[in-house]
C-alpha cells in the first residue's frame, strides 16, 4: 500500500496536521509540499490526502492549480483536511468539484479549527484549539483508516457561493495584493522572508524585501519575520505573530520549489 499526503502551509498548521495524521495511520505516507512541485504530478499512490488552509472560505489557488495538474492512473482513496479559523466555507466542496472533473471523487472532507493566521484568534481559543488538536486528528485518522466515505464538511449553499464570489473578488483584487506589504525600520535585511516564501515571490533589493506579483497570500513572510518588521495597513496590520508551536522555520524551507 502506497500513501501520500500533499500539503500547503504558511504558518505550520497544515504541516503539523499532515505530520500528526501520518503518525496515526498504520500505513505511513510520504508528506509532500505542494509548492515544491512544478508541472504535472503523476499519482501512483493508493491513498491520497490533501491538507490545506482555507482562504476566504475557499480552496487556495495554489492547491487548486496543483489538483488540476494531477495525472491519475487509477482511483485512489482520497481525503482532504481543511485547517481553518472557524469558517471552512466551500473549500472542501471546491476539491470535490475539481476531483470530479478529473474522474475521481473526494471520499472524506474534514474541517479542523486551528489558530487563525489572518484574523487573529483570541489567545484562550487559540490555546484550546492547539490543546484539542491531537484528539481531533486522532478522530480524523480513524475515519481515514476505515476509508470512510460520504462526509464533506463546510457550506455549499447558493448564498455561500454568491457571497464567496463577491468577497473573493474584493479580497484577491484589493485586500490581498502583495503590493500592500510594508517593512518597518526594524528590518535588518536578514532575508528570512525571502527564504520562507514557499513560492519564491520575495527578493531582497538593497537589503529590503520586494514582493513579486504571484503572492500565495499565505502570510509566511509576515509571521516568520524575526524582527516583526513586515506589516500592512489594510487587513493584518501589526497583529500578533503566530506559527504552529511544533513547526520550526527549517520545516518551512521544505516547501521551496
Ligand atoms: C488569506 C487568508 C484567508 C483566510 N481565510 C479564512 C477563511 O475564510 N476561513 C477561515 O476559517 N480561516 C481563514 N484563514 C485562516 C487559515 O485558514 C488558518 O489559520 C489555517 O490554519 C492556516 O494554515 P497554515 O498555518 O498551514 O498556513 C485565512 C488565512 C489567510 C492567510
Amino acid at each position: 500500500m502506497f500513501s501520500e499526503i500533499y500539503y500547503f502551509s504558511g504558518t505550520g498548521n497544515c504541516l503539523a496536521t499532515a505530520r500528526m495524521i501520518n503518525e496515526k495511520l498504520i500505513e505511513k505516507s510520504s508528506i509532500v509540499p505542494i509548492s515544491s512541485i512544478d508541472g504535472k504530478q503523476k499519482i501512483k499512490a493508493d491513498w491520497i490526502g490533501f491538507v490545506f488552509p482555507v482562504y476566504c472560505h475557499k480552496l487556495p489557488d495554489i492547491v487548486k492549480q496543483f489538483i488540476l495538474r494531477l495525472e491519475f492512473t487509477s482511483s485512489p482513496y482520497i481525503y482532504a483536511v481543511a485547517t481553518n479559523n472557524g469558517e471552512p466555507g466551500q473549500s472542501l466542496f471546491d476539491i470535490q468539484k475539481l476531483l470530479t472533473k478529473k474522474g475521481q471523487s473526494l471520499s472524506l472532507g474534514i474541517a479542523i479549527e486551528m489558530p487563525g493566521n489572518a484574523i487573529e484568534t483570541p489567545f484562550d481559543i487559540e490555546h484550546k484549539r492547539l490543546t484539542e488538536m491531537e484528539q481531533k486528528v486522532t478522530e480524523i485518522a480513524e475515519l481515514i483508516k476505515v476509508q470512510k466515505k460520504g462526509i464533506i464538511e463546510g457550506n455549499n449553499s447558493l448564498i455561500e457561493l454568491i457571497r464567496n464570489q463577491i468577497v473573493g473578488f474584493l479580497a484577491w483584487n484589493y485586500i490581498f495584493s502583495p503590493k500592500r506589504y510594508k517593512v518597518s525600520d526594524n528590518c535588518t535585511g536578514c532575508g528570512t522572508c525571502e527564504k520562507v516564501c514557499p513560492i519564491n515571490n520575495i527578493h531582497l533589493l538593497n537589503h529590503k524585501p520586494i514582493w513579486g506579483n504571484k503572492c500565495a497570500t499565505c502570510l509566511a513572510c509576515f509571521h516568520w519575520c524575526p524582527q516583526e518588521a513586515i506589516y500592512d495597513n489594510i487587513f493584518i496590520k501589526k497583529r500578533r505573530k503566530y506559527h504552529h508551536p511544533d513547526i520550526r522555520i527549517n520545516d518551512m524551507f521544505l516547501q521551496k520549489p
Side-chain angles (χ1 to χ4, degrees):
M1 198 67 78
F2 177 35
S3 173
E4 285 178 320
I5 302 177
Y6 293 98
Y7 76 93
F8 179 69
S9 187
T11 50
N13 289 346
C14 293
L15 176 54
T17 304
R19 285 182 173 169
M20 206 180 269
I21 290 172
N22 192 36
E23 274 166 26
K24 295 181 186 299
L25 294 180
I26 299 155
E27 302 290 340
K28 296 301 169 217
S29 309
S30 307
I31 301 181
V32 186
I34 283 172
S35 53
S36 71
I37 301 170
D38 261 350
K40 296 189 186 317
Q41 174 78 351
K42 276 206 167 103
I43 296 292
K44 296 183 191 132
D46 310 290
W47 298 42
I48 299 287
F50 298 102
V51 184
F52 64 89
V54 175
Y55 288 171
C56 291
H57 290 213
K58 289 174 70 68
L59 188 67
D61 193 56
I62 187 167
V63 183
K64 175 182 172 184
Q65 298 307 331
F66 176 71
I67 292 177
L68 289 172
R69 295 198 307 272
L70 293 178
E71 292 181 345
F72 290 89
T73 51
S74 60
S75 293
Y77 172 72
I78 307 179
Y79 62 91
V81 178
T83 81
N84 67 90
N85 188 20
E87 298 278 357
Q90 69 181 80
S91 58
L92 289 156
F93 294 94
D94 288 340
I95 288 217
Q96 187 193 37
K97 280 180 206 144
L98 291 170
L99 288 170
T100 305
K101 275 191 202 157
K102 301 196 84 82
Q104 302 292 324
S105 70
L106 179 67
S107 292
L108 183 68
I110 300 286
I112 176 168
E113 285 183 359
M114 299 287 281
N117 59 357
I119 295 174
E120 196 169 321
T121 310
F123 198 74
D124 54 333
I125 297 176
E126 185 171 304
H127 179 72
K128 186 169 182 286
R129 288 180 183 171
L130 289 172
T131 310
E132 290 173 352
M133 177 184 173
E134 175 140 25
Q135 178 55 34
K136 293 207 168 138
V137 172
T138 304
E139 288 163 16
I140 295 169
E142 289 306 315
L143 296 174
I144 298 168
K145 277 186 207 163
V146 297
Q147 298 205 3
K148 183 79 182 169
K149 292 190 173 145
I151 303 175
I152 312 277
E153 293 184 339
N155 186 345
N156 200 30
S157 68
L158 186 60
I159 291 173
E160 172 77 2
L161 300 187
I162 294 168
R163 175 208 169 276
N164 294 347
Q165 284 299 108
I166 298 166
V167 173
F169 176 82
L170 296 173
W172 305 124
N173 287 291
Y174 299 104
I175 302 172
F176 292 130
S177 158
K179 303 269 179 288
R180 77 190 201 272
Y181 292 116
K182 303 189 186 321
V183 188
S184 74
D185 291 343
N186 291 349
C187 176
T188 58
C190 71
T192 301
C193 49
E194 185 180 43
K195 289 187 212 133
V196 87
C197 177
I199 59 167
N200 290 336
N201 190 45
I202 301 175
H203 298 288
L204 292 194
L205 185 66
N206 299 326
H207 308 290
K208 297 283 176 237
I210 303 288
W211 282 262
N213 288 325
K214 56 175 186 174
C215 179
T217 77
C218 69
L219 297 180
C221 54
F222 170 83
H223 285 284
W224 291 95
C225 171
Q227 305 303 327
E228 304 197 356
I230 297 171
Y231 66 101
D232 78 6
N233 286 333
I234 308 170
F235 186 52
I236 46 169
K237 300 190 187 317
K238 292 183 180 172
R239 60 149 282 177
R240 176 166 57 83
K241 303 299 174 286
Y242 168 81
H243 63 80
H244 191 282
D246 294 345
I247 300 302
R248 300 282 160 266
I249 195 159
N250 286 359
D251 296 314
M252 301 306 295
F253 301 157
L254 299 170
Q255 296 198 96
K256 289 288 208 189

